[in-house]
Amino acid sequence: MFWKFDLHTTSHIDQLLDREDVTLRELMEEDDVLQECKAQNRRLLLFLSQDHCMTELVNLITTEPPADLEEKSRFKFPNIACELLTSDVSLINDKLGGDESLLETLYHFLEQKPPLNPLLASFFSKTIGNLIARKTEQVISFLRKKDGFIGLVLKHIDASAMMDLLLRLISCVEPAPLRQEVLNWLNEEKLIQRLTELIHAGKDEERQSNASQTLCDIIRLSRDQANQMQENVEADPLLAVLESQESVAGLLKTMFEGERSEASIVNGTQVLLTLLETRRSGLEGLMDLYSQGYERSYTVNSSILHAIEPHLKDFQQLLLDPPKVRTYSKALSYLPSKWLSLCFSQDLFFKYSWNNFLHFQVELCVASILNHSASNTEETSLHNTLVAHLFQKCRLVQRILDAWEENDKIQTEGGARRGNMGHLTRIANMVVQNLEKGPIQSQISDLIKELSEDCRGRWESFVDETLRETNRRNTVELVSTHNLHSSSEDDDMESPFPNDLSLQQAFSDYQIQQMTANFVDQFGFNDEEFSEHDENINATFDRIAEINFNLDADDNTANAAAFEACCKERIRQFDDAEEDDDIWEEKEINYATQVKSRTRFVQTQGPETL
């Protein structure tokens, strides 16, 4: 029998473990060592968890391998060692997290002079990160005893692995009370302030970029976790510091005071954009600002706006004399009144006629003012002030008219249409829509009446003629969709298929046709008729009329006579005279009679009828 044979294949690792002098390197040479480790091979795990093996594994991921080794095999053992240490096996986690000497060996890796080997830094970060998630209390307790831990991590922040390590400390600690203790500890270590100081003109650009990205990730992680936590949970101290006016002012001071550099301004602005980031997900609701109002789409801490306001002139200077990388104007879109005053009074919107990013931000600002719905008297007063500022100080109507006339002149002379005209059209339409209806209809009407008679006449002519014609052109279909309708629009569809009346006529036609001998061959369609090169299907459906289904009921043929004879032979008529007989009574079936009858039936027909 087949069970007499032992089909179990013994792993070569088990064979190596049978030897008393087997070494860790010999086991790591085996291709299936990781698979056996994750499969909880007991003998292998007991071997790996020995003190000398654990020490060798930790040394492999924290010590630079010899430079004379071949490059492709130089980091082979460190990589395998890292995978073994992070294989999420409880025996290895317990040994590594519970042995302080192993943790000290890991920690000494941070005490090296920068720069760290990026590959070894990733091995170190992955190992510590796994311990933070699996042996949280032991590892956090060990790290908190090290006074210089945060300083050493920031010292090597040019390595992206250190940035990942900080984020693991913030996001991977459970339960919630312990996580709150870690956040308080990081706040006591002034993590946010020290990261902000790294975004400085005198620092290495890689360090600036990683510090900026770390701050952005902390903001997003903290906000996401705050949304998931219960209301009675203590606030995130790191997020509170980041959103404070003092912290934002310090960031702006780093960006603009002293020697300015493109890297510090770009990275600092990235943090500001994250602080001012919308709460909604995706971009599908971006233009809903026009109908929903500004504050409904954005939740921006007022302290951030108060900190940015004194530096608007600095942002204006960046727009007038921008560096090579321009990512600054978006941060200003959250300060409608001041921002619009700068953009319109200084001609920025019109000066940079091809900067659509700038134009879009101005359009959002106008939308936020015109479509805002005030909820109380104080907000109504502030809103009315913003609307008046938009029409009086910014001279919105006059600037729209002047820009339009100037563009028409340029196009008349053969020049190209300006790039901001599309945004200007939408701004003009917003003004017209709010002038016709809305909560500020009367205020806008009064502001229009305050214009000079000449300007008011130009505006009315512009709305009735120029803007209406522009809107008409913008709504013209670029491609004719006359024959492009959904299947639900059957009433208006013009298709090659016949309508109800023609279908009825076709059915009547084939009913009066005569049956042909080659009907089977004609019925249906050939494969060739559905070839890719033939796009006309009219002919295929027209062949329905060619199908001959005519059956002449009066045709007294030999076949009909045979059928009638068979029916008379087989079917017995019910007769009232035979009421005494039970038709459902079981009777013996005489097959001989049926055979004889069938033989007689064949003989009467003759061979010519078969």
Side-chain angles (χ1 to χ4, degrees):
M1 301 297 291
F2 68 90
W3 53 77
K4 293 173 58 178
F5 301 97
D6 184 11
L7 300 180
H8 176 69
T9 57
T10 304
S11 171
H12 190 241
I13 289 181
D14 289 331
Q15 297 177 9
L16 289 176
L17 291 172
D18 290 336
R19 293 169 35 198
E20 295 183 359
D21 59 343
V22 64
T23 64
L24 178 62
R25 294 293 181 106
E26 287 180 301
L27 290 172
M28 294 175 70
E29 288 282 3
E30 296 298 316
D31 294 336
D32 59 344
V33 63
L34 292 176
Q35 180 180 351
E36 289 293 318
C37 180
K38 293 180 180 180
Q40 306 283 331
N41 185 319
R42 187 68 180 173
R43 295 183 64 193
L44 175 61
L45 294 180
L46 289 175
F47 181 86
L48 293 176
S49 60
Q50 296 180 84
D51 291 343
H52 70 278
C53 289
M54 293 296 295
T55 302
E56 186 174 355
L57 288 173
V58 172
N59 286 330
L60 281 171
I61 67 171
T62 56
T63 306
E64 188 86 18
D68 57 348
L69 293 178
E70 189 178 356
E71 190 63 30
K72 66 178 181 180
S73 60
R74 188 177 175 212
F75 290 96
K76 174 184 176 181
F77 289 115
N79 181 50
I80 296 175
C82 177
E83 293 299 322
L84 290 172
L85 291 173
T86 59
S87 57
D88 202 15
V89 176
S90 58
L91 189 61
I92 295 178
N93 290 338
D94 294 341
K95 182 66 176 178
L96 186 57
D99 192 332
E100 192 160 331
S101 63
L102 294 175
L103 293 178
E104 287 287 352
T105 305
L106 279 172
Y107 186 80
H108 288 328
F109 176 75
L110 292 175
E111 297 175 341
Q112 301 180 42
K113 293 182 179 180
L116 296 175
N117 183 294
L119 198 53
L120 292 180
S122 67
F123 296 154
F124 167 82
S125 176
K126 185 176 181 180
T127 304
I128 291 291
N130 180 70
L131 290 176
I132 290 174
R134 301 305 179 191
K135 309 297 293 182
T136 308
E137 294 185 7
Q138 296 93 318
V139 176
I140 294 299
S141 176
F142 172 80
L143 294 178
R144 293 186 67 175
K145 294 176 183 178
K146 301 294 183 180
D147 295 335
F149 171 68
I150 298 299
L152 289 175
V153 173
L154 296 180
K155 178 182 177 181
H156 300 294
I157 197 65
D158 55 318
S160 59
M162 298 298 106
M163 178 175 63
D164 297 335
L165 178 58
L166 286 175
L167 296 178
R168 284 182 177 272
L169 278 172
I170 295 172
S171 61
C172 296
V173 176
E174 295 291 343
L178 182 57
R179 177 181 176 274
Q180 192 66 37
E181 290 183 15
V182 172
L183 294 178
N184 291 332
W185 166 52
L186 295 175
N187 188 42
E188 292 170 2
E189 294 288 331
K190 298 189 179 302
L191 174 63
I192 301 302
Q193 294 87 334
R194 294 162 80 171
L195 284 170
T196 303
E197 291 174 358
L198 291 176
I199 307 175
H200 191 275
K203 304 296 182 180
D204 178 71
E205 289 190 8
E206 193 68 27
R207 292 166 61 83
Q208 292 185 47
S209 176
N210 285 349
S212 171
Q213 188 60 48
T214 303
L215 288 172
C216 294
D217 290 339
I218 290 175
I219 294 169
R220 295 189 179 101
L221 282 173
S222 300
R223 285 177 173 172
D224 290 342
Q225 291 181 344
N227 289 336
Q228 298 170 5
M229 297 296 179
Q230 299 177 357
E231 294 182 359
N232 56 355
V233 176
E234 187 178 348
D236 189 327
L238 298 182
L239 182 61
V241 171
L242 273 165
E243 293 182 337
S244 67
Q245 184 172 346
E246 181 183 0
S247 177
V248 178
L251 176 62
L252 290 164
K253 181 179 179 181
T254 301
M255 293 168 55
F256 292 117
E257 292 188 7
E259 181 185 358
R260 297 186 183 185
S261 72
E262 180 180 298
S264 64
I265 293 174
V266 170
N267 292 313
T269 304
Q270 200 66 35
V271 178
L272 291 176
L273 292 177
T274 307
L275 286 170
L276 298 168
E277 203 168 62
T278 174
R279 290 275 189 171
R280 67 184 184 284
S281 60
L283 299 176
E284 62 275 3
L286 188 60
M287 297 309 297
D288 290 344
L289 294 176
Y290 298 154
S291 58
Q292 296 181 2
Y294 183 80
E295 279 100 7
R296 294 185 184 180
S297 298
Y298 293 92
T299 54
V300 180
N301 195 314
S302 59
S303 60
I304 301 173
L305 302 180
H306 293 321
I308 294 177
E309 186 174 355
H311 293 272
L312 286 176
K313 289 291 183 182
D314 296 315
F315 281 106
Q316 177 193 4
Q317 186 60 35
L318 287 176
L319 290 169
L320 293 171
D321 186 19
K324 294 180 181 179
V325 181
R326 307 172 206 178
T327 61
Y328 315 109
S329 58
K330 186 176 180 180
L332 301 177
S333 64
Y334 300 90
L335 299 158
S337 177
K338 298 285 187 178
W339 173 214
L340 280 171
S341 177
L342 289 172
C343 288
F344 280 97
S345 62
Q346 300 296 330
D347 294 333
L348 297 181
F349 181 86
F350 303 99
K351 178 177 181 180
Y352 298 105
S353 61
W354 299 104
N355 190 341
N356 285 330
F357 185 77
L358 172 65
H359 306 153
F360 182 64
Q361 300 308 314
V362 176
E363 183 183 344
L364 287 181
C365 291
V366 174
S368 68
I369 293 177
L370 295 181
N371 298 312
H372 174 72
S373 298
S375 58
N376 52 56
T377 306
E378 184 179 355
E379 283 193 13
T380 301
S381 176
L382 177 59
H383 184 220
N384 292 340
T385 303
L386 288 174
V387 173
H389 180 90
L390 180 64
F391 283 87
Q392 294 173 347
K393 299 294 183 181
C394 297
R395 302 175 62 248
L396 178 62
V397 172
Q398 295 92 322
R399 299 309 301 272
I400 291 175
L401 295 174
D402 293 343
W404 210 284
E405 291 172 359
E406 186 175 352
N407 178 74
D408 288 344
K409 181 180 178 181
I410 293 174
Q411 287 190 284
T412 302
E413 296 174 353
R417 185 173 184 262
R418 287 189 167 184
N420 57 4
M421 295 306 295
H423 294 280
L424 205 61
T425 302
R426 295 203 291 196
I427 291 174
N429 282 324
M430 277 189 283
V431 174
V432 173
Q433 291 168 7
N434 283 274
L435 187 58
E436 293 175 350
K437 61 180 180 178
I440 57 174
Q441 177 184 6
S442 58
Q443 184 184 5
I444 296 180
S445 179
D446 294 339
L447 291 170
I448 295 293
K449 292 178 182 178
E450 293 178 2
L451 299 175
S452 64
E453 185 176 351
D454 176 64
C455 183
R456 193 165 58 250
R458 289 168 58 202
W459 171 255
E460 293 174 355
S461 175
F462 168 77
V463 172
D464 294 337
E465 300 174 6
T466 308
L467 186 60
R468 177 174 298 178
E469 176 62 19
T470 301
N471 291 332
R472 187 195 64 79
R473 288 200 307 268
N474 290 341
T475 56
V476 171
E477 296 176 350
L478 298 180
V479 179
S480 175
T481 58
H482 181 64
N483 291 324
L484 301 179
H485 299 282
S486 66
S487 57
S488 62
E489 298 173 345
D490 295 333
D491 294 340
D492 299 328
M493 180 183 294
E494 293 184 9
S495 71
F497 301 100
N499 55 28
D500 293 341
L501 293 178
S502 58
L503 279 174
Q504 185 177 359
Q505 182 63 38
F507 184 75
S508 300
D509 291 341
Y510 84 73
Q511 278 186 312
I512 63 176
Q513 298 292 325
Q514 292 186 356
M515 179 75 75
T516 60
N518 60 343
F519 165 73
V520 175
D521 296 332
Q522 290 183 346
F523 189 79
F525 312 113
N526 298 325
D527 292 340
E528 293 80 4
E529 297 178 15
F530 291 94
S531 58
E532 294 181 357
H533 66 274
D534 187 5
E535 299 179 356
N536 186 2
I537 64 175
N538 291 333
T540 303
F541 283 90
D542 289 342
R543 287 187 53 198
I544 292 177
E546 300 175 7
I547 300 175
N548 189 345
F549 283 104
N550 181 45
L551 292 175
D552 190 353
D554 298 330
D555 188 7
N556 189 15
T557 61
N559 289 334
F563 179 77
E564 291 295 335
C566 184
C567 291
K568 292 178 180 179
E569 185 79 19
R570 296 292 185 90
I571 301 175
R572 186 181 64 157
Q573 299 279 340
F574 287 103
D575 191 356
D576 294 339
E578 299 177 357
E579 290 181 356
D580 295 339
D581 296 336
D582 186 0
I583 64 174
W584 305 110
E585 180 182 357
E586 294 185 1
K587 298 179 181 180
E588 182 179 358
I589 301 175
N590 190 343
Y591 292 100
T593 303
Q594 294 185 11
V595 172
K596 180 180 179 181
S597 175
R598 183 176 302 173
T599 304
R600 184 173 65 252
F601 167 73
V602 173
Q603 291 175 350
T604 59
Q605 300 301 315
E608 67 279 359
T609 61
L610 294 178

